[in-house]
Amino acid sequence: MTKSGNLAAGPHTRLAIIGAASALGSPHAGAASAPDALRVHGLPQRLANAGIVAEWAETLHPLELPAKGTDMAARLHANAAFASRLANHVAALDAEHFPLVIGGDHAVALGTWRGIARRAGGAPGLIWIDAHLDSHTDQTTHSGNIHGMPLAALLGEGDPALSGVPGPRLDPSRVCVIGARAWEAEERERLDRLGVRIFDMAEIQARGLPTVFCDALSIARGSGGQPGFGLSLDLDALDPAALPAVTCPEAEGIAPQALADVLLTLRSCGDFIGMEITEYRPDLDSEGSAARWVAELACAALGPATYWLREKERHFGASNYAPLPVVFHRGEGVWLWDVEGRRYLDMMSAYSAVSFGHSHPRLLRALEDQARRLALTSRAFSNDRLPLLLEHLCATFGYERALPVNTGLEAVETALKAARKWAYTVKGVAPEQAEIIACDGNFHGRSIAIVGMSSKEQYRAGFGPFPPGLLRIPFGDSGALEAAITPDTAAFLVEPIQGEGGIIVPPAGYLSRCAEICRRYQVLLIADEVQTGLGRTGRLLACDREGVRPDGLILGKALGGGLLPVSAFLSDRAVMDVFRPGDHGSTFGGNPLGAAVALEVLALLAETRPWEQAERLGVRLRSRLEAARLPCVREIRGRGLLVGIALDPVSAPAQLVAERLLARGIATRDTNGNVIRLAPPLTIAEETLDTATDIVIDTLSSLRR
């Protein structure tokens, strides 16, 4: 603990930012304003939001500006003078701070890395990410621009004005270039002669950026016992179609997101000792998108790693969860990336909330468009999104009314309140006598009322007393339902498939028999489809498998598109009209932001019919798991892409299986003791699911061995 009470930061989370506001080496002065522009665009705040303590130490400006047309010698002298000043300032930083240098043109690299070398007591290894090789001298330059010379000078070649800037020269055996795609023959010959490894774009495209970056790390880190390594990023390495605000753009570069993903690897490198970012042109970035990428790239490389983040969560958070040992940073489609850049297949999809995959472009667009327009008014006023959502919910699911709330728990509570008031005002149950029947093994949420219906002791222990009138019967037993009904019974609340209960599928015909019993005794059948709804089980609703239309329908999770909590309770007027203004409400329920996303979810459902793929792939998944005949597997359960593997707790503890799957890039969890849940986004491709199935089968087989 520090004196302030905060946990100690990670190795790169105390930054000293030095602005190098020089464009002395460039044909255009635009890059000189980059440090000030990035500061205005909130770079320090963005770093702070990522858990990085960033102090903007200073911004250096050239003390001499040679007139246009000045001869090469004068320009070399001016660049060398600025580089020497920058090196002195970098070298003088205290040992607690990690240096982040913001250029300026790439000629400032000479000062950055000579200063870091002096600070480290020897030449660091260096990963040079650039579209160009920057290895000309004053004798070989074609353009005459000095920002094409810094790497040669750092290696000790070229005019003494540059190569003589005080500090150790780089060791070429620990230097590599990533992303090169434009150079003159003299540059390539020089680096090849010196032994600098060049990973050009052709090699990156052939082998993949993660593999190349791994090789580059091995080169820059050396054999051990040497000073650490740094990273110099010239933004023209990136594809100008995504980031055009650079001095010398070159087509077909590295995708910014791909680079950000591999830079995450640096978070856990304790020998990573310095970073610079150069060649940003604010004058070409009117919307600030390139500035956001600069911040994203810096945060990717310098943010806290898994250990520190998990320690902060453990130290400052309540112990109501026990997450697996991973910290996720980004999601796209069916994939997740952790804070060290490892990729995982999401086979859980946030308990079905991410049914359309992470960061679905249409859902993001709906969210962004609405966020710019109107996010929240409360239900004290109407907004222009909610009426359309209510209409589409009723039309899609065949009900007369819908009541929007946020979480699934709220929707269940809403249904319970509606059922009780209906019992008193319509059915004629005596006041305070209404009963709700639920099932053993249910999971409807964790409010006081709902855990009062739970059969899991942990959910109940220490939280009583619970509201009266909450009963339980065995799941899958329609006879038990009929026996439990009394004149005071208001509703039967049931999950068509019990998700948290272990992916338990009831016997065929169970729901339809329950529906008939409820009709006969004037009891509301309320289906909790928070996890099973919206295509998860191979039908739009799990109830559709038996042609059951419940009196009340509870939706959630996937309705928010994995972006926001959006839930709803649907019923007909006979039930819903028991509510009067003031009876029930939610400040955020029905907010325009959530409504806009949910509208797009309903549109995607209608257009893509994801339940059809879920049915086909679910059959394939279950059949492959069953055909493997794994001794540690007791049963394969589920429908669609909601599948549970019930394991023998002695030979295959589910917690251990989940951790081993995580180590192999499969993200999922155990549920209800010893069941592994497999519930990927409904957008998963067949070949991706097959690969995941192979890993699951092999992992379970290895436990037996």
Side-chain angles (χ1 to χ4, degrees):
M1 296 286 290
T2 64
K3 290 181 180 179
S4 65
N6 292 324
L7 287 173
H12 321 121
T13 52
R14 288 189 63 83
L15 298 188
I17 305 174
I18 295 181
S22 168
L24 292 173
S26 170
H28 195 285
S33 60
D36 290 339
L38 289 169
R39 197 170 185 178
V40 169
H41 276 294
L43 176 59
Q45 290 74 28
R46 290 174 185 269
L47 291 167
N49 290 342
I52 304 165
V53 179
E55 171 191 340
W56 197 290
E58 57 192 325
T59 297
L60 302 178
H61 296 267
L63 298 180
E64 51 183 303
L65 294 170
K68 189 173 182 179
T70 303
D71 64 20
M72 174 70 72
R75 290 187 289 117
L76 287 169
H77 175 78
N79 272 273
F82 183 82
S84 294
R85 285 179 58 223
L86 176 59
N88 291 340
H89 283 258
V90 171
L93 290 173
D94 65 73
E96 290 185 359
H97 285 88
F98 178 98
L100 172 62
V101 175
I102 300 293
D105 67 51
H106 214 171
V108 307
L110 186 56
T112 300
W113 300 107
R114 286 288 163 82
I116 289 175
R118 285 158 54 187
R119 194 168 181 262
L126 184 59
I127 299 173
W128 188 274
I129 303 180
D130 200 337
H132 309 91
L133 298 181
D134 285 356
S135 297
H136 275 300
T137 69
D138 58 315
Q139 300 300 311
T140 66
T141 179
H142 292 210
S143 67
N145 296 320
I146 296 169
H147 74 160
M149 303 180 187
L151 187 52
L154 284 165
L155 293 163
E157 300 217 345
D159 190 280
L162 296 184
S163 62
V165 171
R169 296 176 179 178
L170 297 180
D171 175 357
S173 70
R174 294 184 63 204
V175 176
C176 56
V177 180
I178 294 178
R181 55 193 184 278
W183 59 79
E184 278 87 37
E186 299 92 334
E187 295 180 284
R188 183 67 188 245
E189 182 279 328
R190 175 170 289 108
L191 295 186
D192 287 343
R193 170 172 53 82
L194 292 172
V196 172
R197 178 69 161 91
I198 299 170
F199 300 96
D200 59 26
M201 282 304 300
E203 183 170 355
I204 290 171
Q205 289 162 358
R207 300 178 61 212
L209 184 59
T211 302
V212 163
F213 196 80
C214 183
D215 288 353
L217 270 177
S218 296
I219 292 168
R221 301 179 93 169
S223 57
Q226 300 165 295
F229 73 96
L231 183 136
S232 179
L233 171 59
D234 184 327
L235 293 172
D236 67 20
L238 301 174
D239 194 325
L243 201 152
V246 297
T247 302
C248 300
E250 298 287 348
E252 299 182 353
I254 300 170
Q257 188 61 67
L259 181 59
D261 287 341
V262 298
L263 291 184
L264 291 166
T265 309
L266 301 177
R267 291 187 174 198
S268 56
C269 295
D271 53 346
F272 179 37
I273 61 173
M275 181 176 181
E276 74 176 346
I277 302 175
T278 67
E279 298 286 4
Y280 167 57
R281 287 274 304 275
D283 55 308
L284 301 178
D285 190 29
S286 58
E287 296 184 356
S289 61
R292 289 192 290 273
W293 272 118
V294 170
E296 181 69 22
L297 294 165
C299 291
L302 302 172
T306 297
Y307 170 79
W308 288 274
L309 291 166
R310 281 177 59 83
E311 276 298 290
K312 286 180 186 291
E313 183 173 354
R314 182 195 64 78
H315 187 83
F316 296 108
S319 300
N320 60 321
Y321 276 94
L324 288 175
V326 65
V327 178
F328 288 126
H329 166 75
R330 188 174 80 84
E332 182 178 337
V334 298
W335 302 102
L336 292 162
W337 284 260
D338 71 12
V339 291
E340 274 92 24
R342 291 179 288 265
R343 191 179 77 160
Y344 303 77
L345 178 61
D346 186 354
M347 288 294 286
M348 189 168 159
S349 58
Y351 300 99
S352 299
V354 190
S355 286
F356 286 98
H358 299 274
S359 302
H360 191 288
R362 281 181 53 177
L363 299 179
L364 281 179
R365 183 181 64 194
L367 178 73
E368 292 168 359
D369 289 350
Q370 188 61 41
R372 291 188 179 95
R373 189 181 302 117
L374 179 65
L376 181 65
T377 62
S378 87
R379 291 297 302 279
F381 309 97
S382 294
N383 66 74
D384 63 349
R385 298 290 88 194
L386 178 58
L388 302 181
L389 174 61
L390 297 175
E391 178 187 29
H392 280 71
L393 282 169
C394 291
T396 300
F397 299 103
Y399 289 91
E400 294 175 341
R401 297 210 187 278
L403 197 159
V405 285
N406 303 293
T407 66
L409 178 151
E410 289 181 74
V412 172
E413 289 275 0
T414 301
L416 297 180
K417 289 176 72 173
R420 281 183 164 177
K421 193 164 187 183
W422 171 86
Y424 299 134
T425 60
V426 176
K427 186 175 180 178
V429 174
E432 308 300 317
Q433 298 302 308
E435 296 175 344
I436 307 288
I437 299 173
C439 291
D440 293 335
N442 75 76
F443 183 83
H444 300 291
R446 289 191 176 96
S447 69
I448 289 290
I450 293 172
V451 298
M453 297 187 294
S454 178
S455 58
K456 189 165 185 176
E457 183 56 33
Q458 182 185 358
Y459 293 163
R460 299 170 58 88
F463 299 119
F466 302 108
L470 305 174
L471 312 175
R472 286 196 317 273
I473 59 171
F475 181 64
D477 184 347
S478 58
L481 171 63
E482 185 164 17
I485 290 175
T486 73
D488 293 332
T489 302
F492 174 46
L493 174 63
V494 64
E495 300 159 276
I497 296 174
Q498 289 189 336
E500 287 301 285
I503 323 296
I504 306 296
V505 180
Y510 170 67
L511 283 179
S512 58
R513 287 193 293 274
C514 290
E516 189 277 324
I517 292 167
C518 288
R519 280 193 300 272
R520 190 172 355 125
Y521 290 97
Q522 198 185 7
V523 169
L524 299 178
L525 174 64
I526 299 176
D528 180 348
E529 295 240 23
V530 170
Q531 288 195 37
T532 56
L534 308 192
R536 171 58 54 185
T537 65
R539 301 291 188 273
L540 176 60
L541 298 173
C543 288
D544 292 344
R545 283 190 173 273
E546 295 191 14
V548 170
R549 180 185 183 275
D551 301 295
L553 174 65
I554 303 169
L555 298 175
K557 296 198 184 293
L559 191 58
L563 299 176
L564 295 169
V566 181
S567 298
F569 173 59
L570 287 81
S571 190
D572 289 335
R573 290 186 178 89
V575 174
M576 201 75 81
D577 284 356
V578 300
F579 286 124
R580 294 290 179 265
D583 280 359
H584 189 60
S586 167
T587 299
F588 283 85
N591 69 80
L593 195 60
V597 171
L599 276 166
E600 195 66 21
V601 166
L602 295 178
L604 282 170
L605 279 172
E607 293 169 28
T608 64
R609 300 174 64 85
W611 54 87
E612 295 174 353
Q613 168 157 295
E615 175 69 6
R616 179 176 61 84
L617 294 185
V619 169
R620 181 179 180 84
L621 173 59
R622 294 194 306 276
S623 64
R624 290 197 63 205
L625 292 170
E626 289 165 353
R629 299 185 181 279
L630 297 163
C632 63
V633 174
R634 291 180 169 178
E635 185 182 6
I636 305 298
R637 307 169 180 160
R639 293 286 183 271
L641 286 175
L642 179 61
V643 174
I645 306 175
L647 300 169
D648 174 9
V650 175
S651 61
Q655 173 77 12
L656 173 64
V657 171
E659 290 176 357
R660 291 199 175 184
L661 288 173
L662 188 70
R664 299 188 65 179
I666 302 292
T668 190
R669 278 304 301 253
D670 53 300
T671 184
N672 196 40
N674 228 52
V675 178
I676 289 291
R677 175 196 298 263
L678 300 179
L682 305 184
T683 55
I684 191 169
E686 182 174 316
E687 56 271 23
T688 305
L689 184 62
D690 282 349
T691 300
T693 309
D694 291 340
I695 294 172
V696 171
I697 291 171
D698 186 65
T699 301
L700 293 173
S701 298
S702 71
L703 289 175
R704 178 167 57 92
R705 293 195 296 269

